Amino acid sequence: MATAPATAESNGKTALTDALRKHFSGDAPITEKVKGFAKERPWTSAAFAGIAAIMAANVLRGRF
């Protein structure tokens, strides 16, 4: 009987999902997890930070 591999291979469409799973799983402090993710994917981290800044600005303006 054939069994599935323990870890699935990335098919290119799930690279961000794989990176998120890799960096945010485990028992390390959240700051270390974020630093590791930002080092590996700086453009994605900048996009997430930009979205968070826009959300914060809208909350402060009262447009949630």
Side-chain angles (χ1 to χ4, degrees), residues 10-24:
S10 177
N11 62 6
K13 294 181 182 180
T14 61
L16 179 58
T17 305
D18 293 342
L20 287 169
R21 187 175 294 123
K22 173 184 167 188
H23 290 288
F24 290 98

Side-chain angles (χ1 to χ4, degrees), residues 21-49:
R21 187 175 294 123
K22 173 184 167 188
H23 290 288
F24 290 98
S25 63
D27 293 334
I30 190 69
T31 56
E32 296 299 321
K33 293 177 182 182
V34 171
K35 285 179 188 177
F37 182 77
K39 284 183 180 180
E40 185 172 318
R41 301 187 67 91
W43 287 101
T44 305
S45 300
F48 286 158

